Amino acid sequence: PVELQLERLIRTACQRGMDEDFEVVRKLRMLEDDLWQRGKIHRVVLTGGPCGGKSTVMSDLIQMLSDKNFLVFTMPEIATEMFNWSGGRMWDDFKEEGLADDETWAKLQFEMTSVQMRIEDSIVMMARQSLAKRRMLPEPPRGAVILFDRGVVDNVAYCTEEAWSMVQEELGTTTARLRD
């Protein structure tokens, strides 16, 4: 396995103690950290309608995973957060009548999806850093789990097919790519 080869190479370079090996050792440690983190970050998306039990399940999962020595990160439902940020006006302010509805609604869905994707990327970065920082502990975490209260693809349920097509075009992606 690559990880064992890297560990041996690092140990050998460290034992030699040569100054010129310092940069090599630093780069190898970074590579080793990166390899160790890969496959250690798991994503779980909880989806379902309002009052479907997502929050209850999330609370139970946080406790269970923490007890099993996983680092747990949570991602709130962005639509709810943005609704709260707007003082509850978001839905009314983006509601249109007639043909303009798809374009207006697509603007809102694009913003929600973009915000969610940026926050998800930030959480993944934090999980990687946390794993790298803690991997040398006597009992390193078994991995990191990110629990999502809905995923970006859930946004498709709240707009027409035409509006979602506009969102995908603006994002330069597809539903399958967002899902995966």
Side-chain angles (χ1 to χ4, degrees):
V2 175
E3 291 175 319
L4 289 176
Q5 292 173 0
L6 283 173
E7 184 64 33
R8 283 188 207 121
L9 188 56
I10 290 170
R11 262 193 254 122
T12 301
C14 289
Q15 289 170 352
R16 285 193 291 189
M18 301 169 73
D19 289 338
E20 60 266 17
D21 285 339
F22 178 76
E23 186 63 21
V24 172
V25 170
R26 188 184 69 76
K27 287 181 180 177
L28 285 172
R29 285 203 191 282
M30 287 175 49
L31 180 60
E32 183 185 31
D33 284 345
D34 186 54
L35 285 171
W36 190 80
Q37 293 165 25
R38 292 180 198 265
K40 296 279 187 178
I41 299 175
H42 310 281
R43 300 172 193 207
V44 177
V45 178
L46 301 175
T47 189
C51 299
K54 294 183 301 295
S55 297
T56 302
V57 169
M58 188 175 283
S59 295
D60 292 345
L61 284 171
I62 291 168
Q63 183 64 52
M64 181 189 76
L65 291 165
S66 296
D67 289 349
K68 294 184 182 294
N69 197 23
F70 282 91
L71 300 177
V72 181
F73 297 82
T74 59
M75 170 79 182
E77 181 186 16
I78 290 302
T80 299
E81 296 300 319
M82 288 180 72
F83 180 79
N84 291 336
W85 298 338
S86 73
R89 293 179 299 278
M90 182 175 74
W91 302 125
D92 289 336
D93 291 349
F94 276 86
K95 189 173 184 176
E96 292 284 337
E97 300 295 329
L99 297 174
D101 192 46
D102 279 343
E103 189 174 325
T104 303
W105 200 248
K107 289 177 190 175
L108 175 61
Q109 292 299 326
F110 169 77
E111 291 303 326
M112 283 195 304
T113 304
S114 297
V115 167
Q116 185 163 351
M117 289 168 65
R118 285 191 298 269
I119 294 173
E120 286 179 11
D121 289 345
S122 296
I123 292 173
V124 169
M125 182 275 306
M126 290 188 297
R128 283 191 174 131
Q129 178 62 30
S130 292
L131 284 172
K133 188 77 171 179
R134 298 163 190 259
R135 79 178 200 83
M136 294 299 190
L137 292 174
E139 289 188 43
R142 294 175 63 188
V145 178
I146 305 170
L147 299 174
F148 297 92
D149 186 343
R150 300 208 182 176
V152 291
V153 177
D154 285 306
N155 295 342
V156 73
Y158 298 96
C159 58
T160 65
E161 189 175 320
E162 292 79 18
W164 186 247
S165 292
M166 289 180 219
V167 172
Q168 291 177 93
E169 185 176 329
E170 187 72 25
L171 291 170
T173 191
T174 64
T175 299
R177 285 189 191 141
L178 289 171
R179 180 196 64 229
D180 297 339

